[in-house]
Amino acid sequence: MTNPILAAWQTPFEIAPFDAISDDDFAPALDTALTAHLEQIEAIADNTETPDFDNTIGAMEAAGEALDKVLSVFFTVAGADSNPKREELQRDFSPKLAAHFSAISSNKALFRRVADLWARKDELTLTPEQSRVLMLTHRGFVRAGAALEGEDDTRMQDIKARLATLGTSFTQNLLADEREWFMELSDSDLEGLPDFVVGAARAAGSEKDVDGPVVTLSRSIIVPFLQFSPRRDLRELAYKAWAARGANGGETDNREIAAETLKLREERAQLLGYDNFAAYKLETEMARTPERVRELLMQVWEPARAQAGADAETMTQMMQADGINGPLEAWDWRYYAEKRRKAEHDLDEAELKPYLQLDRMIEASFACANRLFGLDFAPLDIPLYHEDCRAWEVTRNGKHVAVFIGDYFARGSKRSGAWCSAMRAQAKFPKEQAPIVINVCNFAKGDPALLSYDDARTLFHEFGHALHQMLSNVTYESISGTSVARDFVELPSQLYEHWLEVPEVLAEFATHAETGAPMPQEMLDKVLKAANFDMGFQTVEYVASALVDLEFHDGAAPADPMVKQAEVLEQIGMPQAIGMRHATPQFAHVFAGDGYSSAYYSYMWSEVMDADAFAAFEEAGGAFDAERAKALETHILSTGGSREAEELYLAFRGKLPGVEALLKGRGLIAA
């Protein structure tokens, strides 16, 4: 019987036949696909013809279709709908995949062909895209250790295999801690909580098979609880459980994993001739060096800390007025910030939230994409991997552009956070293929589902990533969509957040869940005026995490990352009542894989550009200026990694921005 993952997918838009795939299909499909891919690679390496672009680089681009299918399906469900079997498979697959790709990057015959082409690049008649793909391929081989010999080569392969295993363990430990902990609430514990928080807690209790409401470690539940619960004792219990994820001792503790990961990354970089991992990692990013990253972060840190300090004094006075002595603690900040927002801006999230319905915010994100880029979205009725998922066909002028999938609700089987991935990336070679893009979020369920303003911003953020994938228009998949420098990849997503704050967008789509009435102008004005409220806190918790990440990798690997974390926070003067956005044991951006290691600063680097890029719209005809939208698509959204990120931004804007636009946008300096 043919494995449904490897068979031709006779489905609408060739989307994965999720209803026909079982967990038992993954392992045999992976083994078959790995073997087929390796045979394809070996055939390229053993080719006796003189290397040219088509028989070497083009052939590599065309190889591995079956493997792409297996991995796209498996990692989609492993991240968004895990179970014990899938977690076991992920542990088995990690070292297999690391060994497979190490075998390719260390294939000396294959590297000789790539190196030969690189040496003759000026003699070859290549398109600009082909030149770019050749450069990236050669660079990728060198940075993977293809030029290493003997013991160094063997050690590099061992390191990469071990890092893959550690990253999987880190992710699964974090998911286990988040899934296992919950706090049951009695009726009296619900006092002071808005209806939407109570509803989310009851839905969470139902999912946990508990007869009553619970607080879980899902951000969409625990953050509102910390905002609104007057029970300081319960806030403390919940916050400490949240902060302790990955550091509870026992089998799910991530601290030793973090230490070993940092040590192996340092060794990997040194094998390749770099002083440390940060120098290795940042070489290919826009920032280039750890010094430039540190300079940016510290430019933002000082005004952010000053603002947070002033805010802390105000909230301490509020707390003391409630009869509570002692310092403001981390489990107090959100509660008193919410009270302060209500007092200073007359803005109550409990009153605001009914105007931020999930379905209406999805409509808003689609409507903005329609006005900017001419995209239309039509619902699709197709089998997906979970009943919560929805799908739409994306078209432009009647022509198919992409399939977009949204998986919006929190559940115990889903890892925390929000992300965008392409189950299939756009490409024209070896055949034309349209992208299949998925946004995964962790919003609280409800009837209807209501979002916080931060949730709505997250929805727009991830949809910005999706547009980067959907509007891609390049030849080769390796440079398609979000295949760009890590500190450039967040530009489209963070830029798209700005459209949520366009008054006419909120006026049309922020409608009351019960009455259908649009958000009153007075409330709309308050929302926009309060957009930068508590920005000192938000900036401090983020920049502290980015600085800790940088210091972990810029120098010798720390023997004890928790000691190093404490040292960094003390050096920068971390406010006592603010925790890092991601403390080390739960810092999946950095320890679940190499993606954001040494590069968590990327969000801030991109924000410098997104503030400036949206200003380009405002300086022109406004948020929906057609000429600026066309330029954004032409120079950034459609180009993928076909050119250097700096070159793409200059083509769009004509200049590179300074940090002032970011500080003004966050309200940390006067406009």
Side-chain angles (χ1 to χ4, degrees):
M1 186 174 178
T2 305
N3 190 304
I5 305 176
L6 299 176
W9 292 348
Q10 304 296 333
T11 54
F13 310 107
E14 295 183 330
I15 197 165
F18 289 106
D19 55 344
I21 296 171
S22 76
D23 288 345
D24 292 334
D25 295 320
F26 286 119
L30 180 67
D31 289 342
T32 300
L34 289 175
T35 299
H37 188 217
L38 211 51
E39 288 173 354
Q40 292 169 327
I41 294 296
E42 288 170 352
I44 299 167
D46 296 341
N47 191 341
T48 56
E49 297 177 4
T50 301
D52 60 30
F53 186 90
D54 291 337
N55 68 22
T56 304
I57 307 299
M60 291 169 63
E61 288 279 326
E65 181 182 3
L67 184 57
D68 288 343
K69 290 171 70 173
V70 177
L71 298 183
S72 71
V73 177
F74 178 72
F75 283 113
T76 294
V77 299
D81 191 26
S82 192
N83 59 37
K85 176 65 174 177
R86 291 170 186 172
E87 291 180 10
E88 178 187 353
L89 288 169
Q90 201 167 0
R91 289 190 293 271
D92 292 342
F93 288 0
S94 290
K96 276 188 180 182
L97 290 168
H100 176 77
F101 290 109
S102 286
I104 294 172
S105 63
S106 62
N107 185 315
K108 304 305 180 187
L110 182 63
F111 179 55
R112 281 194 295 271
R113 293 182 70 83
V114 174
D116 176 75
L117 282 172
W118 180 245
R120 295 188 290 114
K121 61 183 182 296
D122 295 334
E123 306 166 16
L124 305 174
T125 305
L126 301 178
T127 67
E129 269 197 42
Q130 289 174 330
S131 295
R132 177 73 172 169
V133 172
L134 172 58
M135 184 279 290
L136 292 171
T137 303
H138 179 261
R139 187 176 76 182
F141 267 90
V142 172
R143 287 172 60 80
L148 298 177
E149 301 285 350
E151 292 182 3
D152 287 349
D153 184 22
T154 302
R155 180 59 183 156
M156 178 63 79
Q157 293 189 58
D158 290 344
I159 288 172
K160 287 191 282 189
R162 180 60 179 159
L163 284 171
T165 298
L166 291 172
T168 298
S169 297
F170 189 98
T171 302
Q172 293 189 352
N173 289 347
L174 185 56
L175 177 62
D177 277 5
E178 291 172 346
R179 183 175 55 217
E180 295 304 318
W181 188 92
F182 59 88
M183 179 173 67
E184 295 186 48
L185 301 176
S186 66
D187 289 343
S188 62
D189 297 335
L190 301 176
E191 182 182 344
L193 296 179
D195 290 344
F196 75 86
V197 180
V198 174
R202 292 194 188 283
S206 178
E207 194 209 352
K208 298 291 185 187
D209 292 324
V210 173
D211 185 20
V214 303
V215 174
T216 71
L217 297 182
S218 168
R219 180 177 285 270
S220 62
I221 293 178
I222 195 167
V223 169
F225 182 79
L226 293 171
Q227 279 180 287
F228 291 105
S229 176
R231 288 284 301 278
R232 193 178 192 228
D233 57 333
L234 297 183
R235 295 200 312 267
E236 180 178 359
L237 284 171
Y239 180 85
K240 286 183 174 179
W242 196 30
R245 291 169 297 152
N248 287 304
E251 294 182 356
T252 63
D253 198 295
N254 276 332
R255 287 171 288 190
E256 290 186 8
I257 291 175
E260 185 180 355
T261 297
L262 293 172
K263 189 66 179 172
L264 290 173
R265 285 179 181 162
E266 179 187 25
E267 185 181 357
R268 176 183 174 186
Q270 291 176 346
L271 282 171
L272 294 170
Y274 297 87
D275 290 338
N276 54 61
F277 187 80
Y280 160 76
K281 181 65 180 289
L282 296 174
E283 181 184 52
T284 59
E285 309 297 340
M286 289 186 74
R288 302 295 182 200
T289 67
E291 291 73 28
R292 289 187 71 190
V293 173
R294 191 175 290 106
E295 180 184 5
L296 167 70
L297 293 173
M298 292 309 297
Q299 280 183 280
V300 179
W301 174 258
E302 293 302 338
R305 184 181 64 165
Q307 182 63 60
D311 293 343
E313 288 183 14
T314 300
M315 290 189 288
T316 299
Q317 293 171 5
M318 294 171 65
M319 188 176 76
Q320 290 172 347
D322 283 346
I324 301 172
N325 296 318
L328 184 76
E329 300 287 359
W331 47 89
D332 298 317
W333 190 292
R334 288 176 175 84
Y335 178 71
Y336 283 99
E338 183 61 32
K339 290 183 72 171
R340 184 179 172 214
R341 180 168 71 160
K342 189 172 182 179
E344 294 184 3
H345 295 280
D346 193 23
L347 188 61
D348 183 348
E349 179 143 328
E351 295 178 9
L352 171 63
K353 207 159 184 176
Y355 290 97
L356 299 175
Q357 300 174 68
L358 171 61
D359 287 350
R360 294 293 279 153
M361 291 299 102
I362 294 171
E363 288 180 46
S365 67
F366 289 174
C368 291
N370 176 266
R371 290 185 64 180
L372 290 164
F373 310 114
L375 300 178
D376 293 300
F377 299 81
L380 287 172
D381 184 12
I382 54 176
L384 296 167
Y385 62 87
H386 194 278
E387 62 183 9
D388 287 344
C389 296
R390 308 184 231 178
W392 293 264
E393 182 188 8
V394 187
T395 59
R396 180 154 57 182
N397 299 323
K399 182 181 177 183
H400 178 76
V401 172
V403 170
F404 175 66
I405 300 169
D407 179 2
Y408 295 108
F409 296 125
R411 53 181 173 267
S413 62
K414 183 189 288 186
R415 64 180 170 90
S416 62
W419 63 94
C420 172
S421 59
M423 294 192 65
R424 184 177 67 210
Q426 177 273 331
K428 300 174 185 175
F429 177 89
K431 63 181 181 180
E432 191 96 17
Q433 62 184 40
I436 298 173
V437 188
I438 181 168
N439 276 178
V440 184
C441 299
N442 270 283
F443 304 141
K445 267 190 174 179
D447 186 19
L450 304 177
L451 305 183
S452 67
Y453 198 70
D454 188 53
D455 287 339
R457 196 158 40 220
T458 296
L459 186 147
F460 269 70
H461 178 102
E462 297 307 332
F463 194 70
H465 280 310
L467 288 171
H468 202 179
Q469 296 279 13
M470 293 189 285
L471 292 173
S472 179
N473 186 24
V474 299
T475 302
Y476 300 99
E477 186 172 337
S478 62
I479 54 170
S480 174
T482 57
S483 298
V484 299
R486 181 63 62 175
D487 48 11
F488 192 69
V489 76
E490 298 298 337
L491 169 60
S493 56
Q494 293 181 183
L495 175 59
Y496 204 65
E497 291 179 32
H498 288 273
W499 274 271
L500 173 63
E501 297 180 354
V502 173
E504 63 189 277
V505 174
L506 285 173
E508 180 176 358
F509 293 98
T511 56
H512 197 278
E514 294 179 5
T515 67
M519 183 183 291
Q521 185 64 45
E522 183 183 9
M523 181 178 286
L524 176 60
D525 292 342
K526 291 174 185 176
V527 168
L528 297 174
K529 188 176 179 181
N532 283 325
F533 178 75
D534 211 25
M535 193 55 74
F537 169 87
Q538 294 178 41
T539 308
V540 161
E541 65 163 4
Y542 164 77
V543 175
S545 296
L547 283 166
V548 168
D549 166 45
L550 181 65
E551 300 305 332
F552 274 163
H553 297 96
D554 185 25
D560 187 336
M562 300 305 294
V563 171
K564 180 67 172 179
Q565 172 183 295
E567 290 174 355
V568 173
L569 296 181
E570 183 177 3
Q571 287 168 4
I572 63 176
M574 182 73 171
Q576 180 265 339
I578 302 179
M580 293 168 63
R581 182 170 298 179
H582 304 290
T584 298
Q586 62 241 203
F587 210 162
H589 279 80
V590 171
F591 292 106
D594 276 354
Y596 282 89
S597 55
S598 298
Y600 191 61
Y601 76 91
S602 299
Y603 293 91
M604 190 64 71
W605 190 275
S606 292
E607 189 177 341
V608 171
M609 290 181 286
D610 85 60
D612 179 66
F614 193 70
F617 280 85
E618 294 177 318
E619 292 163 10
F624 293 99
D625 182 77
E627 184 180 332
R628 287 289 82 200
K630 181 64 176 175
L632 180 64
E633 180 178 353
T634 299
H635 299 300
I636 294 177
L637 296 178
S638 69
T639 50
S642 60
R643 292 151 63 195
E644 289 291 336
E646 188 169 302
E647 183 183 344
L648 295 176
Y649 192 81
L650 285 170
F652 167 72
R653 188 66 164 119
K655 63 182 179 68
L656 291 175
V659 73
E660 293 79 13
L662 177 149
L663 293 173
K664 290 176 182 175
R666 286 186 168 237
L668 298 175
I669 60 173

